[in-house]
Amino acid sequence: QVQLVESGGGLVQAGGSLRLSCAPSGRTFTSYAAGWFRQAPGKEREFVASISRSGGNTDYADSVKGRFTISRDNAKNTVYLQMNSLKPEDTAVYYCAADKSPFLDSTGSRNRYRYDFWGQGTQVTVSS
C-alpha cells in the first residue's frame, strides 16, 4: 500500500536542523511533482513545500520560507526537505507525497487532496 518512505525525523533542540528524505519503496516512482506536508495532533494536515518534476520550481508555505528548503535528486529518486532554524511549532509528523497531474513543470499543489501517493510519515520533535 505504502509507495513512499520518509526518513530523517527525530528530536532536535530549537534552532537546530534536520534533513528529511523521501524515496519510493519500489522501482515504480517516476519524476512526479512532490510535496511535503505536516500534521500535529488535533490539527489538519498542512502544506509545507513542493517541487516540480525537474526540481526547477519550488513553493513554500509562509511559515517556513527562509528556513526550509525542498530539493530533489531525480537520479536517486529522492526528495529532500532541509529544515533549519527549527522552532517548537514545527513539531509534527511530516509526510511526503507525489503529484502526477501538474501542468508542464509546475510545482506540486498546496492542496493535499491533489496528491496521488503518500508516505507513512516521520516524526519531527523540536524541544525548547
Side-chain angles (χ1 to χ4, degrees):
Q1 181 64 238
V2 177
Q3 295 181 263
L4 301 175
V5 179
E6 303 94 340
S7 62
L11 176 65
V12 65
Q13 290 185 310
S17 298
L18 286 172
R19 188 180 73 164
L20 307 184
S21 299
C22 174
S25 59
R27 301 270 112 170
T28 60
F29 188 67
T30 58
S31 189
Y32 290 9
W36 286 96
F37 291 77
R38 65 188 182 187
Q39 187 166 22
K43 297 206 169 194
E44 294 183 14
R45 191 170 299 188
E46 67 175 354
F47 171 78
V48 176
S50 65
I51 191 166
S52 64
R53 290 171 291 176
S54 72
N57 295 296
T58 57
D59 188 27
Y60 297 93
D62 288 343
S63 60
V64 305
K65 284 181 180 177
R67 299 190 298 120
F68 291 9
T69 302
I70 187 170
S71 62
R72 72 191 304 162
D73 185 341
N74 283 339
K76 297 180 179 178
N77 289 303
T78 303
V79 176
Y80 304 97
L81 185 68
Q82 178 67 45
M83 305 184 293
N84 298 327
S85 301
L86 283 161
K87 305 174 181 179
E89 50 263 47
D90 295 317
T91 295
V93 176
Y94 283 70
Y95 299 88
C96 66
D99 180 0
K100 68 180 181 181
S101 62
F103 284 101
L104 301 175
D105 201 38
S106 298
T107 59
S109 178
R110 294 184 176 187
N111 185 344
R112 65 185 181 272
Y113 298 111
R114 299 295 186 185
Y115 288 82
D116 301 285
F117 304 100
W118 291 86
Q120 291 182 305
T122 185
Q123 178 71 48
V124 171
T125 303
V126 184
S127 65
S128 58

